[in-house]
């Protein structure tokens, strides 16, 4: 498991984690949220009031159940998650926006960009791409599928715990991403095959076959598993 600890950046409108993809599935659990106090400091009080107003604006566009949950538990982080099938379109959109050489430029894998309100609206209008906006409250778990572009902005100071895993449904996406990462530059931080998805597939199949063989040995009369 990994732990993420970061201050809130609501008023700065900056990200905590830039837009990127993970080579495997992941689950992220918010285990602690801390709302800053500004007692006795006029400037800090004014700053916090502006932060709260922005947080309320974000909550106002959420579902009633989310607003009710955050009324009891302070909101921790704002997530934007996009479908893995939209990854290439989003990458091309950013490459067109920020460089004239999309072949040498990997905007999502380089993890250098955060899609702010303006870019998200343009992505919707120009490319027809709409992601999911999720407010993560205390105790909430966010599941991120392999290959799904996502970004995070902490609304308050947070501690999160995350675990990577490989689901059967996304094995194909894991293999595809592993091949994508192999073509990155030698110095790129994502080039190394850390997941070893082919080994995972091999040993999973090996264990499954061994389990089937054992079942046949224990129950000779049972039909063999094809």
């Amino acid at each position: 498991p990994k732990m993420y600890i970061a201050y809130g950046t609501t008023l700065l409108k900056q990200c905590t984690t830039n837009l990127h993809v993970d080579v495997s599935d992941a689950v992220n659990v918010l285990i602690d949220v801390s709302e800053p106090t500004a007692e006795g400091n006029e400037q800090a009080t004014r700053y916090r009031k502006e932060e709260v107003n922005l947080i309320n604006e974000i909550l106002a566009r959420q579902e009633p159940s989310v607003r009710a949950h955050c009324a009891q538990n302070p909101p921790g982080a704002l997530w934007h998650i996009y479908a893995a099938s939209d990854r290439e379109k989003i990458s091309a959109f950013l490459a067109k926006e920020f460089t004239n050489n999309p072949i040498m430029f990997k905007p999502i894998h380089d993890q250098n960009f955060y899609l702010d309100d303006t870019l998200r609206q343009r992505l919707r209008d120009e490319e027809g791409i709409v992601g999911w906006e999720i407010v993560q409250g205390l105790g909430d778990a966010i599941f991120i599928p392999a290959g799904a572009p996502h970004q995070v902005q902490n609304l308050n100071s947070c501690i999160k715990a995350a675990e990577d895993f490989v689901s059967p449904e996304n094995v194909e996406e894991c293999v595809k991403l592993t091949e994508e990462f192999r073509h990155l530059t030698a110095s790129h931080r994502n080039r190394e095959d850390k997941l070893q998805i082919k080994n995972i597939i091999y040993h999973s199949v090996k264990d499954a076959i061994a389990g089937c063989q054992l079942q046949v040995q224990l129950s000779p009369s049972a039909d063999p598993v094809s």
Side-chain angles (χ1 to χ4, degrees):
K2 297 175 288 187
M3 183 169 287
Y4 297 91
I5 304 173
Y7 289 112
T9 58
T10 306
L11 194 57
L12 298 177
K13 296 186 178 180
Q14 294 176 346
C15 69
T16 307
T17 304
N18 280 332
L19 187 72
H20 69 290
V21 298
D22 292 325
V23 72
S24 67
D25 304 282
V27 58
N28 184 294
V29 182
L30 182 56
I31 59 177
D32 186 74
V33 181
S34 177
E35 295 179 296
T37 59
E39 297 179 1
N41 187 313
E42 182 178 347
Q43 182 177 357
T45 300
R46 184 170 62 253
Y47 186 92
R48 180 56 185 168
K49 184 178 180 180
E50 293 177 17
E51 277 190 328
V52 171
N53 289 338
L54 285 174
I55 292 173
N56 288 336
E57 288 180 13
I58 293 170
L59 291 176
R61 58 180 188 250
Q62 307 303 316
E63 295 291 333
S65 59
V66 176
R67 296 199 298 270
H69 176 60
C70 290
Q72 302 296 325
N73 303 280
L78 178 67
W79 292 69
H80 292 99
I81 304 176
Y82 294 88
S85 57
D86 289 327
R87 183 171 69 251
E88 293 184 6
K89 284 186 177 181
I90 297 174
S91 183
F93 170 82
L94 290 172
K96 182 177 65 176
E97 181 70 18
F98 294 103
T99 183
N100 293 322
N101 190 354
I103 295 178
M104 299 299 295
F105 184 63
K106 307 295 182 184
I108 295 181
H109 295 334
D110 293 343
Q111 201 172 334
N112 289 330
F113 297 96
Y114 179 80
L115 297 175
D116 59 15
D117 293 344
T118 302
L119 286 174
R120 291 198 303 274
Q121 187 62 48
R122 287 187 53 197
L123 198 60
R124 177 195 297 262
D125 297 339
E126 298 175 20
E127 304 294 338
I129 296 175
V130 180
W132 294 269
E133 182 178 80
I134 304 171
V135 174
Q136 185 181 26
L138 181 64
D140 289 345
I142 305 292
F143 285 88
I144 308 99
H150 59 283
Q151 61 185 24
V152 187
Q153 179 191 14
N154 278 8
L155 303 177
N156 287 299
S157 298
C158 298
I159 299 177
K160 309 185 193 100
E163 179 67 57
D164 297 332
F165 63 98
V166 175
S167 65
E169 295 82 1
N170 287 324
V171 167
E172 184 177 353
E173 190 67 34
C174 294
V175 173
K176 183 179 179 181
L177 276 170
T178 298
E179 291 302 312
E180 280 187 26
F181 289 169
R182 284 182 63 245
H183 295 287
L184 297 173
T185 59
S187 60
H188 201 287
R189 61 184 171 183
N190 285 331
R191 190 175 190 274
E192 181 184 355
D193 183 8
K194 299 176 182 177
L195 183 61
Q196 297 287 310
I197 183 62
K198 293 181 180 179
N199 285 338
I200 292 175
I201 295 172
Y202 170 78
H203 287 289
S204 297
V205 172
K206 180 182 176 182
D207 290 344
I209 293 174
C212 291
Q213 291 174 335
L214 179 61
Q215 182 65 31
V216 170
Q217 291 173 2
L218 295 176
S219 305
S221 60
D223 293 334
V225 179
S226 57

